[in-house]
Amino acid sequence: MRQESAAAPQARHRAATARPRTAPDAELRRLLARAATGDRDAFLGFYDATCAVTWRLELCRHGDAERATVATRRRYAAAWLHAAAQAGSGLTARAWLLSLPSGPAPLVRRAATVGVGA
């Protein structure tokens, strides 16, 4: 994949969040099939069509924009490496993407702990 500056993915996320592009699942599946053959432009099209929802999911999971960006990068790296697997997954392209690992899940903190015998 082509090299981008550290600020480029965040700028792409902002642009995608401001004007999200929706694409039917059939188009996303075609893009992933092409990406599986090494077509970088197809993968960038898939990224552009899905990055807003992916980044928002990671932002909800992590509660921090920097960690969300790292997790989003990991998710798309996994998607690039395993794009051919989507066709046999039985999932829509978006569901498949969101099912990929993005790194360790954040710890859930309890507001109060319950003591033994309390």
Side-chain angles (χ1 to χ4, degrees):
M1 293 175 54
R2 67 180 174 205
Q3 296 290 330
E4 293 183 322
S5 71
Q10 292 170 338
R12 289 179 72 116
H13 291 307
R14 282 193 299 275
T17 304
R19 295 176 294 142
R21 176 182 166 244
T22 60
D25 189 62
E27 179 184 343
L28 295 176
R29 287 192 319 260
R30 281 191 295 276
L31 290 170
L32 279 173
R34 288 176 36 210
T37 67
D39 185 334
R40 293 176 183 166
D41 289 332
F43 190 75
L44 289 174
F46 177 76
Y47 173 88
D48 288 341
T50 58
C51 68
V53 70
T54 304
W55 190 79
R56 285 192 299 257
L57 169 71
E58 295 299 351
L59 185 59
C60 288
R61 285 182 73 221
H62 296 281
D64 175 80
E66 187 175 326
R67 286 184 284 181
T69 298
V70 170
T72 299
R73 286 179 184 157
R74 287 182 181 151
R75 187 177 300 279
Y76 280 100
W80 173 254
L81 294 172
H82 304 288
Q86 190 279 323
S89 71
L91 300 171
T92 66
R94 284 182 186 90
W96 173 82
L97 173 67
L98 298 178
S99 73
L100 295 174
S102 63
L107 295 174
V108 177
R109 297 176 192 225
R110 291 181 170 247
T113 58
V114 177
V116 176

